[in-house]
Amino acid sequence: MIPVILGLAVIVYMIIGDLSNGDLRKITITWNSIVFFILAVLMIAVRDIAYMYRIRLLTNNAFSWRKAFQVIFLWEFASSVTPSVVGGSAVAIFILTKEKIGTGRATAVVMVTALLDEFFYIILVPLTFILAGFDRLSVTGHTFSLFGLPLSTMGIFLVGYSLIAFITLLLSYGVFVNPSGLKWLLLKVTGLKLLRRFKEAAEHTGDQLIEASIGFRSKSYHFWLRALGATALSWTARFLIVNFLIVAFTGASHLGDHFLIMARQLMMWVIMLISPTPGGSGIAEFFFPVFLREFIAGTNRDLTTIVALSWRLLSYYPYLIIGAFVLPFWLRRVYLGRKLITFKK
């Protein structure tokens, strides 16, 4: 609850600052702004329903919709309270194993989930950049240091994008081509003196990973199209939250600008991914105006702070609050030994 309290305190402080500057008084509420704000809220529901559908699909409907809701929100909660560079994958594996899915199967499901996310991202970036126009992508006036090397925002993005592409290829190889090689790597790592006590568990996990990999490789094209479709829907909804909020507050409606807004979000997401703070807190708020101020700030008003705060309130804090609420109910269910869930073959 500490991140929630601190985050809300920062939001209240920033809103008070905007009140003193008169920015809030410059907001004009129209039916158009109400409609697009509601659409932004609906995108949250679309995103999460798509995630729930995907986890049910990848586990062969081992979860009911209610339990899929718990799993997804606990997964998002874990991602929100851990540094972005760490992510919630380890917690997701723990959650799935507590739902009585084997460790290897849970690992495979989480890995395939990550693969689908990264695969969609890799495809979406060049497509969106083409539609937005490469000549408009760069954000000038900002340089950053990475391992002592000065890089522009575009340079940081290209480094991150290359790493994502490499990791995606590595995971694809481990899950779909050579799971035995991945098991070998696990055994080598746990063969180190400090990790030897995990070697037996690593061997068991490797065996289950090989079994799960065989299951995934035997899936039909229809299965993978549905999985990719759910992934595309969830990610598109994630990015459209910002687009709809900008329209709600500013009335901007040029189609080309919306492709560019999405392209800038794709660039910003890579930087947030390597954030050392929980859920990218602070980093997200800092880079939001860097990438998107030109679409929000006008000659008479600058609503960047308000839009940024609205974005974080919709896309980050609900997962902290709902996840904290769901957690005790989930713990009571899985640790009291109620009806167990099995991974259907």
Side-chain angles (χ1 to χ4, degrees):
M1 293 300 293
I2 292 177
V4 177
I5 296 171
L6 290 177
L8 292 176
V10 170
I11 288 174
V12 170
Y13 174 79
M14 295 180 75
I15 289 176
I16 291 173
D18 273 354
L19 278 171
S20 62
N21 293 328
D23 287 339
L24 283 178
R25 300 186 187 94
K26 298 173 183 176
I27 298 175
T28 302
I29 303 297
T30 64
W31 283 111
N32 184 72
S33 60
I34 292 173
V35 167
F36 277 96
F37 191 84
I38 292 173
L39 285 174
V41 174
L42 287 176
M43 288 303 100
I44 304 173
V46 171
R47 170 190 170 185
D48 293 326
I49 291 171
Y51 277 149
M52 287 185 278
Y53 173 82
R54 187 175 67 175
I55 196 68
R56 295 184 77 238
L57 178 69
L58 293 178
T59 56
N60 292 331
N61 293 324
F63 300 126
S64 65
W65 281 100
R66 180 177 65 85
K67 290 177 180 177
F69 172 87
Q70 291 182 345
V71 168
I72 291 301
F73 272 86
L74 288 175
W75 192 335
E76 293 287 348
F77 175 74
S79 299
S80 299
V81 298
T82 57
S84 298
V85 69
V86 175
S89 296
V91 179
I93 293 172
F94 171 79
I95 293 170
L96 292 177
T97 55
K98 286 301 177 183
E99 294 285 2
K100 304 306 176 185
I101 291 177
T103 305
R105 294 180 184 275
T107 302
V109 168
V110 173
M111 289 179 68
V112 169
T113 298
L115 274 174
L116 289 168
D117 287 337
E118 309 305 346
F119 183 71
F120 177 73
Y121 180 81
I122 290 171
I123 293 175
L124 186 62
V125 164
L127 177 63
T128 308
F129 282 14
I130 291 171
L131 294 172
F134 285 96
D135 57 325
R136 305 178 65 194
L137 293 175
S138 295
V139 179
T140 59
H142 295 274
T143 57
F144 306 92
S145 178
L146 183 65
F147 302 114
L149 298 174
L151 291 173
S152 63
T153 50
M154 179 59 76
I156 292 285
F157 163 75
L158 290 175
V159 170
Y161 183 79
S162 300
L163 286 173
I164 289 172
F166 172 75
I167 292 172
T168 301
L169 288 174
L170 184 63
L171 287 176
S172 300
Y173 178 78
V175 174
F176 296 110
V177 179
N178 189 12
S180 298
L182 190 56
K183 176 186 175 181
W184 176 85
L185 181 61
L186 287 172
L187 293 177
K188 281 294 183 181
V189 172
T190 53
L192 299 175
K193 187 175 181 179
L194 292 175
L195 300 174
R196 281 177 187 168
R197 62 193 180 100
F198 300 109
K199 190 167 185 176
E200 184 177 347
E203 184 170 5
H204 179 65
T205 298
D207 291 337
Q208 287 195 319
L209 183 60
I210 292 172
E211 180 185 349
S213 175
I214 293 172
F216 278 123
R217 281 185 288 178
S218 65
K219 295 295 185 182
S220 65
Y221 286 109
H222 181 63
F223 171 90
W224 291 113
L225 284 175
R226 286 191 292 163
L228 283 171
T231 302
L233 184 61
S234 63
W235 275 84
T236 303
R238 175 199 293 260
F239 290 124
L240 283 178
I241 292 172
V242 172
N243 290 64
F244 288 150
L245 284 175
I246 290 176
V247 176
F249 283 104
T250 69
S253 59
H254 296 292
L255 183 61
D257 284 344
H258 284 293
F259 284 123
L260 183 55
I261 290 169
M262 187 168 287
R264 293 281 181 83
Q265 289 185 73
L266 291 168
M267 296 172 65
M268 185 172 64
W269 183 80
V270 169
I271 297 175
M272 289 175 58
L273 190 64
I274 59 175
S275 167
T277 60
S281 296
I283 302 297
E285 288 80 3
F286 174 80
F287 279 102
F288 190 91
V290 171
F291 284 95
L292 298 170
R293 173 171 275 128
E294 68 182 91
F295 307 103
I296 307 168
T299 55
N300 298 321
R301 61 179 183 173
D302 186 349
L303 300 179
T304 307
T305 301
I306 301 301
V307 177
L309 291 179
S310 299
W311 167 56
R312 292 297 275 174
L313 280 171
L314 291 178
S315 63
Y316 176 63
Y317 289 101
Y319 298 104
L320 284 175
I321 298 170
I322 297 175
F325 178 77
V326 168
L327 181 60
F329 291 96
W330 180 81
L331 290 173
R332 184 175 63 182
R333 176 170 63 81
V334 299
Y335 282 104
L336 286 182
R338 296 184 179 181
K339 185 178 178 180
L340 304 182
I341 299 174
T342 58
F343 192 104
K344 298 177 183 177
K345 293 183 180 180

